[in-house]
Amino acid sequence: MLRMKSSPTSRSDTAARQVPKMRLICVTRASATNNGALNQLEQLRKMSCVVADSGEIEQVKRFSPIDCTTNPSLVYKAIELPQYRRFLSEAIAQKSKLHDGTSKRQFDGVADILCVNLGCEMLKVVPGRVSTEVDAHLSHDTRGTVNKALRLVDLYAAQGVDATKRVYIKIASTWEGIEACRVLEAQGIKCNMTLLFSFAQTVVGLSGAPFIRQAPGPEPSASHTAYRLPPTALTQAFEAQTRARCKAPRRCDNITIAPNFLADLEACYEPLPRMLSPDSVISSLPRLVLGRNEFQELHTSDKMAVDKLREGIEGFAKDQDRLEQSLAALAV
């Protein structure tokens, strides 16, 4: 993922989250075990800011990340646990306030408040931001995505949370999603562009999206990495980690890691070498500007990216439906 300044009004917020300051926040003490050696999670925190990829509050508490991020799949997994079932009941209790009549699905608004309630609990644990995802059914609908994002911002505001300072609105990196990001960023709403797999998504995202998430998958090409990490850009790079990538981190300002991988890193005291540093990335690639047709042509030339983007959207949409079905069953 990459994070860029979008307007002069966001200068102070972006500057506050630049890498040097994040490193100060993330520095940890040497462990009391292994003769003071740092475990791999502590080593990683010296390179990057760790972001928990979980909807489970207790897991987030355990690893003390700066930010956390969720999606419909993680939220559904969390509410299946007994200790989180109360979030379903609380969302149902507020049903009359939530369904705004803009969707044909009766419980999509209730699912929104469920995710926001969970996000508010996460914000009691992390000092930074929480990412809350827009309904994946809207991934190819710019106006629908913008409206849903504004709805989520309003729901956070109703609970006393200034979403412009504490929340990222998470959106799939489709052409329509990135266009929605431009609209939202112009209103001071920070976005997290997820499910990024192709070079085309990187190019278009960098031209308008502030926060782009490199999704798990095959290693990106050298040109992809160089393009998205220009040494002079006011950006932050964020990457979703697989188990293998946790053991060989590239130079990403923030790294999104699932709790099971965090536990693996915490238990290991082997050296964790940095595989890529900002000084080593000097890109001679020209900055590209792609229109919609050029984007589609370049993106569709990468079959893996097309398949993974589709699978991600379909998976999140399926779990969104499961969330709504759980709410509907409880409301009967």
Side-chain angles (χ1 to χ4, degrees), residues 250-299:
R250 287 187 293 274
R251 168 54 178 84
C252 289
D253 304 324
N254 282 27
I255 299 185
T256 302
I257 309 177
N260 56 325
F261 297 158
L262 289 170
D264 289 346
L265 291 168
E266 189 178 58
C268 183
Y269 286 83
E270 296 177 2
L272 188 70
R274 175 178 287 180
M275 305 305 291
L276 180 66
S277 69
D279 295 338
S280 68
V281 181
I282 302 175
S283 174
S284 60
L285 293 174
R287 299 293 96 183
L288 303 177
V289 178
L290 300 179
R292 182 172 189 146
N293 290 340
E294 292 85 359
F295 167 82
Q296 295 293 355
E297 181 178 359
L298 183 57
H299 177 67

Side-chain angles (χ1 to χ4, degrees), residues 104-263:
K104 296 179 180 179
R105 304 196 320 272
Q106 182 180 2
F107 287 88
D108 68 324
V110 191
D112 291 341
I113 198 58
L114 168 63
C115 294
V116 168
N117 283 349
L118 187 60
C120 288
E121 290 296 313
M122 294 287 191
L123 289 174
K124 296 175 183 178
V125 178
V126 299
R129 295 181 183 243
V130 63
S131 291
T132 298
E133 188 152 347
V134 167
D135 181 357
H137 293 93
L138 301 171
S139 294
H140 295 283
D141 180 350
T142 297
R143 177 47 53 189
T145 294
V146 170
N147 289 340
K148 179 64 77 173
L150 294 175
R151 180 67 172 164
L152 293 172
V153 169
D154 287 344
L155 291 173
Y156 272 108
Q159 298 204 43
V161 174
D162 184 350
T164 63
K165 296 179 180 179
R166 300 296 313 276
V167 176
Y168 291 119
I169 299 298
K170 198 170 181 182
I171 303 169
S173 296
T174 60
W175 173 270
E176 296 82 2
I178 296 172
E179 287 297 297
C181 174
R182 297 180 200 275
V183 175
L184 294 166
E185 279 288 316
Q187 300 181 46
I189 299 167
K190 303 301 179 186
C191 298
N192 170 346
M193 301 307 300
T194 190
L195 295 176
L196 185 148
F197 297 96
S198 73
F199 183 66
Q201 290 172 296
T202 299
V203 171
V204 175
L206 275 172
S207 69
F211 188 73
I212 301 179
R213 184 169 190 247
Q214 172 64 43
E219 292 292 306
S221 66
S223 61
H224 186 156
T225 302
Y227 190 93
R228 67 189 178 93
L229 293 175
T232 58
L234 294 174
T235 64
Q236 288 181 355
F238 294 73
E239 185 163 26
Q241 294 294 299
T242 61
R243 187 180 303 274
R245 288 191 187 178
C246 286
K247 297 292 184 178
R250 287 187 293 274
R251 168 54 178 84
C252 289
D253 304 324
N254 282 27
I255 299 185
T256 302
I257 309 177
N260 56 325
F261 297 158
L262 289 170

Side-chain angles (χ1 to χ4, degrees), residues 69-115:
T69 181
T70 65
N71 58 49
S73 301
L74 294 174
V75 172
Y76 181 77
K77 178 182 176 182
I79 60 96
E80 286 292 286
L81 300 174
Q83 62 267 39
Y84 300 113
R85 296 292 289 179
R86 66 180 178 86
F87 287 101
L88 290 170
S89 301
E90 291 172 358
I92 289 294
Q94 300 175 60
K95 175 182 175 182
S96 61
K97 301 178 183 179
L98 299 173
H99 186 59
D100 55 15
T102 61
S103 172
K104 296 179 180 179
R105 304 196 320 272
Q106 182 180 2
F107 287 88
D108 68 324
V110 191
D112 291 341
I113 198 58
L114 168 63
C115 294

